Amino acid sequence: MSNRVNRQVLTLDEFTIQQMRNYPQATGELSNLLRDIGLAAKRVNVEVNKAGLVDILGDFGTVNIQGEQVKKMDVYANNQFIGVLKHGISCAGLGSEELEDIVIFNDEISNNSKYVVVIDPLDGSSNIDVNVTIGTIFGVYRRVTKPGTPCTIEDFLQTGRNQVAAGYVIYGSSTMLVYATKRGVNGFTLDPAIGEFCLSHPDIKCPESGKVYSLNYGNILQFGEKIKNYIERCQKKSKKDGGPYTQRYVGSMVADVHRNLIKGGIFMYPGTVDKPNGKLRLLYECNPFSFIVEVAGGKASNGKQAILDIVPDQLHQRTPFFIGSKLMMEEFESCMNS
Ligand code: AHG
Ligand code: MN
Ligand code: MN
């Protein structure tokens, strides 16, 4: 048996440190932050994997600030991410889907950190009880307030374009962490044998076009005419244009957008008559994905403007959301402008 170490495998830590070497002025704080998120994700992954075995399934018995049933795993994941980031050295505070207000870590080390994090600790939580893919979504911002002081809501209400990094974890048939900085999108698959995220999808690019459209078709009667027209166009695509498109909808945005990022496609959560802003949250669901997909060459919009240009005024605000392959998004946008 050979004693040689296989150096083809690059762990998340090794990769971020390698990236940092290209920036002599880098302090390593972002690498630290990503390592902390990776650590919390591994802990969540362990619980997700045994969710059918322990008494962690089912409702927690409360509703979160969105008025949705909170599942036990949502609470567990939220606590893991907060705990790890609070005790790390790179994060001054956090805004979470599960908590009405931002969490200001407010200790000497955290106050000196330059980043804040927005997070959906568990996305697709209605899928936990039925063993379907779920995820975590996060965005990282450089604070606008002065380091040395506690962070404030101002640090969180930045446009998505200001994100320094954004990523997601997908707890699927394998567990992956995908993150983007302006320089590129890279995917790491968890090797359960060594408990490390290993670079498996370097420099992810979103195909310019695809054959999949993803949306909750059950809401069709509630959509505006232009959206309905676009969906009909997807269904009527001729064979030579790759049609008719296939409809795929997991109901966990992480799974739906991940598939479209890798294979090409468009994901839509439009506003409805009852809920003109749709369901998805700008800060910790739409912005991180928009950043990742744009860096990978795709596009994201609310039907009128790029998601990343929206100036937020609330931590939990919602927005209609359309995201995916560049050419499909351009066709969608031309339908919306017609
Ligand atoms: P969460 O579990 O964080 O509340 O998010 C669920 C979201 C998203 O992942 C998914 O695309 C969407 O809700 C599904 O909503 P519908 O059931 O209305 O289609
Ligand atoms: Mn979500
Ligand atoms: Mn959630």
Side-chain angles (χ1 to χ4, degrees):
M1 203 184 175
S2 157
N3 281 330
R4 266 188 309 159
V5 177
N6 178 4
R7 293 316 296 158
Q8 280 170 342
V9 176
L10 206 53
T11 66
L12 174 65
D13 261 16
E14 290 174 321
F15 179 83
T16 55
I17 290 166
Q18 209 175 73
Q19 296 283 302
M20 210 177 82
R21 292 255 159 89
N22 302 326
Y23 288 91
Q25 74 281 16
T27 59
E29 244 185 271
L30 186 61
S31 300
N32 262 309
L33 184 64
L34 289 163
R35 193 192 47 212
D36 290 346
I37 289 175
L39 172 62
K42 282 189 256 183
R43 290 184 173 161
V44 172
N45 181 61
V46 168
E47 293 307 312
V48 166
N49 276 323
K50 61 183 188 198
L53 296 171
V54 290
D55 182 31
I56 206 160
L57 283 173
D59 295 335
F60 194 67
T62 54
V63 284
N64 67 11
I65 45 106
Q66 326 283 346
E68 295 151 351
Q69 278 293 335
V70 177
K71 302 272 170 183
K72 282 182 186 170
M73 273 302 294
D74 293 16
V75 177
Y76 179 83
N78 191 46
N79 290 340
Q80 287 306 318
F81 284 101
I82 293 179
V84 166
L85 290 171
K86 181 171 169 49
H87 292 108
I89 58 162
S90 310
C91 184
L94 166 144
S96 164
E97 180 191 16
E98 299 304 332
L99 301 167
E100 180 153 11
D101 295 319
I102 55 168
V103 183
I104 302 168
F105 292 153
N106 201 9
D107 55 69
E108 205 188 319
I109 293 176
S110 302
N111 285 346
N112 278 304
S113 311
K114 55 180 179 209
Y115 298 116
V116 294
V117 168
V118 284
I119 194 160
D120 177 355
L122 213 71
D123 176 67
S125 43
S126 66
N127 278 328
I128 302 170
D129 292 0
V130 286
N131 211 345
V132 171
T133 297
I134 51 179
T136 297
I137 310 168
F138 64 92
V140 181
Y141 291 86
R142 187 167 287 120
R143 307 172 53 173
V144 291
T145 52
K146 266 220 320 275
T149 60
C151 64
T152 74
I153 185 71
E154 241 191 291
D155 296 314
F156 296 84
L157 298 181
Q158 303 189 50
T159 59
R161 231 172 259 297
N162 283 0
Q163 284 169 108
V164 173
Y168 60 91
V169 183
I170 178 164
Y171 311 97
S173 41
S174 62
T175 297
M176 277 185 81
L177 186 150
V178 176
Y179 85 90
T181 63
K182 285 203 175 81
R183 304 177 59 214
V185 185
N186 291 281
F188 302 80
T189 302
L190 183 64
D191 179 346
I194 57 170
E196 293 276 4
F197 284 105
C198 298
L199 182 64
S200 54
H201 296 59
D203 200 20
I204 295 173
K205 300 281 182 228
C206 181
E208 280 210 323
S209 198
K211 296 179 177 189
V212 167
Y213 68 104
S214 319
L215 89 169
N216 186 339
Y217 201 78
N219 293 335
I220 187 84
L221 299 178
Q222 295 260 325
F223 296 150
E225 281 314 305
K226 289 182 175 174
I227 307 275
K228 286 184 189 158
N229 288 343
Y230 175 73
I231 295 167
E232 211 178 303
R233 248 168 113 145
C234 292
Q235 295 165 338
K236 288 186 172 159
K237 279 270 164 207
S238 69
K239 237 193 175 129
K240 84 169 181 11
D241 291 327
Y245 289 169
T246 296
Q247 200 248 339
R248 289 270 183 275
Y249 192 69
V250 174
S252 295
M253 182 172 60
V254 169
D256 283 310
V257 179
H258 175 72
R259 181 199 50 242
N260 294 355
L261 172 67
I262 303 292
K263 293 197 161 176
I266 184 169
F267 171 91
M268 297 170 267
Y269 207 109
T272 58
V273 178
D274 295 343
K275 296 180 181 159
N277 288 327
K279 175 182 184 188
L280 299 174
R281 279 59 58 112
L282 175 66
L283 267 74
Y284 40 80
E285 293 185 312
C286 305
N287 270 338
F289 269 120
S290 303
F291 183 86
I292 297 162
V293 167
E294 275 203 15
V295 172
K299 293 185 94 176
S301 104
N302 66 357
K304 294 193 178 94
Q305 68 175 133
I307 290 286
L308 294 178
D309 289 332
I310 299 174
V311 182
D313 54 22
Q314 280 170 39
L315 187 61
H316 298 290
Q317 78 190 62
R318 297 173 196 262
T319 176
F321 191 41
F322 308 91
I323 185 166
S325 294
K326 184 168 173 277
L327 298 179
M328 295 173 94
M329 281 297 294
E330 281 169 4
E331 184 176 354
F332 168 76
E333 279 162 354
S334 80
C335 270
M336 294 303 282
N337 293 331
S338 63

